[in-house]
PDB file of all heavy atoms in Angstrom:
ATOM      1  N   ALA A1494     -69.420   3.484   5.487  1.00  0.00           N
ATOM      2  CA  ALA A1494     -68.327   4.372   5.102  1.00  0.00           C
ATOM      3  C   ALA A1494     -68.740   5.097   3.834  1.00  0.00           C
ATOM      4  O   ALA A1494     -69.289   4.493   2.913  1.00  0.00           O
ATOM      5  CB  ALA A1494     -67.046   3.584   4.856  1.00  0.00           C
ATOM      6  N   VAL A1495     -68.485   6.383   3.803  1.00  0.00           N
ATOM      7  CA  VAL A1495     -68.605   7.177   2.583  1.00  0.00           C
ATOM      8  C   VAL A1495     -67.169   7.534   2.214  1.00  0.00           C
ATOM      9  O   VAL A1495     -66.411   8.025   3.050  1.00  0.00           O
ATOM     10  CB  VAL A1495     -69.463   8.436   2.801  1.00  0.00           C
ATOM     11  CG1 VAL A1495     -69.597   9.225   1.505  1.00  0.00           C
ATOM     12  CG2 VAL A1495     -70.844   8.074   3.355  1.00  0.00           C
ATOM     13  N   TRP A1496     -66.781   7.253   0.988  1.00  0.00           N
ATOM     14  CA  TRP A1496     -65.386   7.390   0.592  1.00  0.00           C
ATOM     15  C   TRP A1496     -65.236   8.218  -0.677  1.00  0.00           C
ATOM     16  O   TRP A1496     -66.162   8.338  -1.465  1.00  0.00           O
ATOM     17  CB  TRP A1496     -64.738   6.019   0.404  1.00  0.00           C
ATOM     18  CG  TRP A1496     -65.450   5.158  -0.596  1.00  0.00           C
ATOM     19  CD1 TRP A1496     -66.453   4.267  -0.353  1.00  0.00           C
ATOM     20  CD2 TRP A1496     -65.245   5.136  -2.015  1.00  0.00           C
ATOM     21  NE1 TRP A1496     -66.874   3.691  -1.530  1.00  0.00           N
ATOM     22  CE2 TRP A1496     -66.156   4.197  -2.564  1.00  0.00           C
ATOM     23  CE3 TRP A1496     -64.390   5.811  -2.874  1.00  0.00           C
ATOM     24  CZ2 TRP A1496     -66.222   3.933  -3.926  1.00  0.00           C
ATOM     25  CZ3 TRP A1496     -64.450   5.543  -4.234  1.00  0.00           C
ATOM     26  CH2 TRP A1496     -65.354   4.610  -4.745  1.00  0.00           C
ATOM     27  N   ALA A1497     -64.039   8.757  -0.825  1.00  0.00           N
ATOM     28  CA  ALA A1497     -63.668   9.493  -2.036  1.00  0.00           C
ATOM     29  C   ALA A1497     -62.245   9.106  -2.388  1.00  0.00           C
ATOM     30  O   ALA A1497     -61.410   8.878  -1.509  1.00  0.00           O
ATOM     31  CB  ALA A1497     -63.768  10.998  -1.803  1.00  0.00           C
ATOM     32  N   GLU A1498     -61.970   9.040  -3.690  1.00  0.00           N
ATOM     33  CA  GLU A1498     -60.652   8.620  -4.164  1.00  0.00           C
ATOM     34  C   GLU A1498     -59.985   9.737  -4.953  1.00  0.00           C
ATOM     35  O   GLU A1498     -60.612  10.382  -5.788  1.00  0.00           O
ATOM     36  CB  GLU A1498     -60.816   7.393  -5.059  1.00  0.00           C
ATOM     37  CG  GLU A1498     -59.505   6.871  -5.621  1.00  0.00           C
ATOM     38  CD  GLU A1498     -59.737   5.721  -6.575  1.00  0.00           C
ATOM     39  OE1 GLU A1498     -60.054   5.989  -7.752  1.00  0.00           O
ATOM     40  OE2 GLU A1498     -59.612   4.572  -6.137  1.00  0.00           O
ATOM     41  N   LEU A1499     -58.715   9.950  -4.668  1.00  0.00           N
ATOM     42  CA  LEU A1499     -57.874  10.881  -5.427  1.00  0.00           C
ATOM     43  C   LEU A1499     -56.722  10.084  -6.027  1.00  0.00           C
ATOM     44  O   LEU A1499     -56.196   9.173  -5.389  1.00  0.00           O
ATOM     45  CB  LEU A1499     -57.296  11.962  -4.508  1.00  0.00           C
ATOM     46  CG  LEU A1499     -58.281  12.937  -3.876  1.00  0.00           C
ATOM     47  CD1 LEU A1499     -57.567  13.821  -2.855  1.00  0.00           C
ATOM     48  CD2 LEU A1499     -58.953  13.775  -4.935  1.00  0.00           C
ATOM     49  N   LEU A1500     -56.342  10.413  -7.251  1.00  0.00           N
ATOM     50  CA  LEU A1500     -55.162   9.802  -7.847  1.00  0.00           C
ATOM     51  C   LEU A1500     -53.924  10.551  -7.374  1.00  0.00           C
ATOM     52  O   LEU A1500     -53.948  11.772  -7.208  1.00  0.00           O
ATOM     53  CB  LEU A1500     -55.252   9.845  -9.371  1.00  0.00           C
ATOM     54  CG  LEU A1500     -56.347   8.983  -9.983  1.00  0.00           C
ATOM     55  CD1 LEU A1500     -56.343   9.109 -11.496  1.00  0.00           C
ATOM     56  CD2 LEU A1500     -56.212   7.527  -9.566  1.00  0.00           C
ATOM     57  N   LEU A1501     -52.851   9.815  -7.178  1.00  0.00           N
ATOM     58  CA  LEU A1501     -51.580  10.418  -6.790  1.00  0.00           C
ATOM     59  C   LEU A1501     -50.707  10.558  -8.024  1.00  0.00           C
ATOM     60  O   LEU A1501     -50.683   9.650  -8.865  1.00  0.00           O
ATOM     61  CB  LEU A1501     -50.876   9.554  -5.741  1.00  0.00           C
ATOM     62  CG  LEU A1501     -51.599   9.440  -4.404  1.00  0.00           C
ATOM     63  CD1 LEU A1501     -50.902   8.417  -3.506  1.00  0.00           C
ATOM     64  CD2 LEU A1501     -51.678  10.786  -3.723  1.00  0.00           C
ATOM     65  N   PRO A1502     -49.998  11.681  -8.149  1.00  0.00           N
ATOM     66  CA  PRO A1502     -49.107  11.846  -9.303  1.00  0.00           C
ATOM     67  C   PRO A1502     -48.035  10.756  -9.313  1.00  0.00           C
ATOM     68  O   PRO A1502     -47.597  10.298  -8.257  1.00  0.00           O
ATOM     69  CB  PRO A1502     -48.474  13.220  -9.076  1.00  0.00           C
ATOM     70  CG  PRO A1502     -49.315  13.900  -8.067  1.00  0.00           C
ATOM     71  CD  PRO A1502     -49.979  12.830  -7.261  1.00  0.00           C
ATOM     72  N   ALA A1503     -47.632  10.355 -10.493  1.00  0.00           N
ATOM     73  CA  ALA A1503     -46.558   9.366 -10.624  1.00  0.00           C
ATOM     74  C   ALA A1503     -45.324   9.874  -9.895  1.00  0.00           C
ATOM     75  O   ALA A1503     -45.005  11.064  -9.939  1.00  0.00           O
ATOM     76  CB  ALA A1503     -46.239   9.121 -12.099  1.00  0.00           C
ATOM     77  N   GLY A1504     -44.652   8.989  -9.213  1.00  0.00           N
ATOM     78  CA  GLY A1504     -43.430   9.367  -8.511  1.00  0.00           C
ATOM     79  C   GLY A1504     -43.665   9.941  -7.130  1.00  0.00           C
ATOM     80  O   GLY A1504     -42.717  10.404  -6.501  1.00  0.00           O
ATOM     81  N   THR A1505     -44.911   9.929  -6.646  1.00  0.00           N
ATOM     82  CA  THR A1505     -45.162  10.420  -5.295  1.00  0.00           C
ATOM     83  C   THR A1505     -44.431   9.525  -4.315  1.00  0.00           C
ATOM     84  O   THR A1505     -44.595   8.307  -4.332  1.00  0.00           O
ATOM     85  CB  THR A1505     -46.673  10.423  -4.979  1.00  0.00           C
ATOM     86  OG1 THR A1505     -47.317  11.313  -5.868  1.00  0.00           O
ATOM     87  CG2 THR A1505     -46.941  10.847  -3.548  1.00  0.00           C
ATOM     88  N   HIS A1506     -43.605  10.126  -3.476  1.00  0.00           N
ATOM     89  CA  HIS A1506     -42.869   9.351  -2.475  1.00  0.00           C
ATOM     90  C   HIS A1506     -43.692   9.298  -1.205  1.00  0.00           C
ATOM     91  O   HIS A1506     -44.126  10.316  -0.709  1.00  0.00           O
ATOM     92  CB  HIS A1506     -41.511   9.996  -2.187  1.00  0.00           C
ATOM     93  CG  HIS A1506     -40.808   9.342  -1.032  1.00  0.00           C
ATOM     94  ND1 HIS A1506     -40.236   8.105  -1.140  1.00  0.00           N
ATOM     95  CD2 HIS A1506     -40.628   9.744   0.240  1.00  0.00           C
ATOM     96  CE1 HIS A1506     -39.703   7.777   0.021  1.00  0.00           C
ATOM     97  NE2 HIS A1506     -39.931   8.746   0.866  1.00  0.00           N
ATOM     98  N   GLN A1507     -43.902   8.090  -0.717  1.00  0.00           N
ATOM     99  CA  GLN A1507     -44.611   7.921   0.544  1.00  0.00           C
ATOM    100  C   GLN A1507     -43.724   7.161   1.496  1.00  0.00           C
ATOM    101  O   GLN A1507     -43.189   6.121   1.157  1.00  0.00           O
ATOM    102  CB  GLN A1507     -45.928   7.167   0.339  1.00  0.00           C
ATOM    103  CG  GLN A1507     -46.883   7.941  -0.542  1.00  0.00           C
ATOM    104  CD  GLN A1507     -48.087   7.097  -0.913  1.00  0.00           C
ATOM    105  OE1 GLN A1507     -48.038   5.889  -0.887  1.00  0.00           O
ATOM    106  NE2 GLN A1507     -49.161   7.759  -1.261  1.00  0.00           N
ATOM    107  N   SER A1508     -43.567   7.692   2.679  1.00  0.00           N
ATOM    108  CA  SER A1508     -42.727   7.030   3.670  1.00  0.00           C
ATOM    109  C   SER A1508     -43.575   6.138   4.556  1.00  0.00           C
ATOM    110  O   SER A1508     -44.783   6.286   4.630  1.00  0.00           O
ATOM    111  CB  SER A1508     -42.024   8.092   4.526  1.00  0.00           C
ATOM    112  OG  SER A1508     -42.953   8.745   5.352  1.00  0.00           O
ATOM    113  N   GLU A1509     -42.917   5.246   5.264  1.00  0.00           N
ATOM    114  CA  GLU A1509     -43.636   4.406   6.220  1.00  0.00           C
ATOM    115  C   GLU A1509     -43.843   5.146   7.526  1.00  0.00           C
ATOM    116  O   GLU A1509     -44.474   4.628   8.426  1.00  0.00           O
ATOM    117  CB  GLU A1509     -42.855   3.113   6.465  1.00  0.00           C
ATOM    118  CG  GLU A1509     -43.114   2.118   5.378  1.00  0.00           C
ATOM    119  CD  GLU A1509     -43.048   0.703   5.888  1.00  0.00           C
ATOM    120  OE1 GLU A1509     -43.606   0.418   6.959  1.00  0.00           O
ATOM    121  OE2 GLU A1509     -42.440  -0.111   5.201  1.00  0.00           O
ATOM    122  N   LYS A1510     -43.309   6.339   7.649  1.00  0.00           N
ATOM    123  CA  LYS A1510     -43.438   7.110   8.877  1.00  0.00           C
ATOM    124  C   LYS A1510     -44.890   7.216   9.310  1.00  0.00           C
ATOM    125  O   LYS A1510     -45.188   7.162  10.489  1.00  0.00           O
ATOM    126  CB  LYS A1510     -42.834   8.498   8.633  1.00  0.00           C
ATOM    127  CG  LYS A1510     -42.961   9.448   9.773  1.00  0.00           C
ATOM    128  CD  LYS A1510     -42.058  10.653   9.565  1.00  0.00           C
ATOM    129  CE  LYS A1510     -42.637  11.652   8.610  1.00  0.00           C
ATOM    130  NZ  LYS A1510     -41.882  12.899   8.589  1.00  0.00           N
ATOM    131  N   GLY A1511     -45.809   7.332   8.351  1.00  0.00           N
ATOM    132  CA  GLY A1511     -47.217   7.481   8.687  1.00  0.00           C
ATOM    133  C   GLY A1511     -47.979   6.188   8.732  1.00  0.00           C
ATOM    134  O   GLY A1511     -49.171   6.190   8.922  1.00  0.00           O
ATOM    135  N   LYS A1512     -47.309   5.058   8.559  1.00  0.00           N
ATOM    136  CA  LYS A1512     -47.991   3.774   8.509  1.00  0.00           C
ATOM    137  C   LYS A1512     -48.606   3.438   9.858  1.00  0.00           C
ATOM    138  O   LYS A1512     -48.045   3.712  10.881  1.00  0.00           O
ATOM    139  CB  LYS A1512     -47.060   2.662   8.079  1.00  0.00           C
ATOM    140  CG  LYS A1512     -47.800   1.352   7.901  1.00  0.00           C
ATOM    141  CD  LYS A1512     -46.947   0.385   7.152  1.00  0.00           C
ATOM    142  CE  LYS A1512     -47.577  -0.971   7.063  1.00  0.00           C
ATOM    143  NZ  LYS A1512     -48.921  -1.026   6.584  1.00  0.00           N
ATOM    144  N   GLY A1513     -49.748   2.818   9.803  1.00  0.00           N
ATOM    145  CA  GLY A1513     -50.397   2.375  11.022  1.00  0.00           C
ATOM    146  C   GLY A1513     -51.533   3.287  11.389  1.00  0.00           C
ATOM    147  O   GLY A1513     -51.897   4.206  10.658  1.00  0.00           O
TER     148      GLY A1513
END
Side-chain angles (χ1 to χ4, degrees):
V1495 181
W1496 57 269
E1498 180 184 82
L1499 294 173
L1500 293 180
L1501 295 173
T1505 297
H1506 172 73
Q1507 297 171 337
S1508 70
E1509 278 212 44
K1510 176 166 79 170
K1512 185 165 174 51

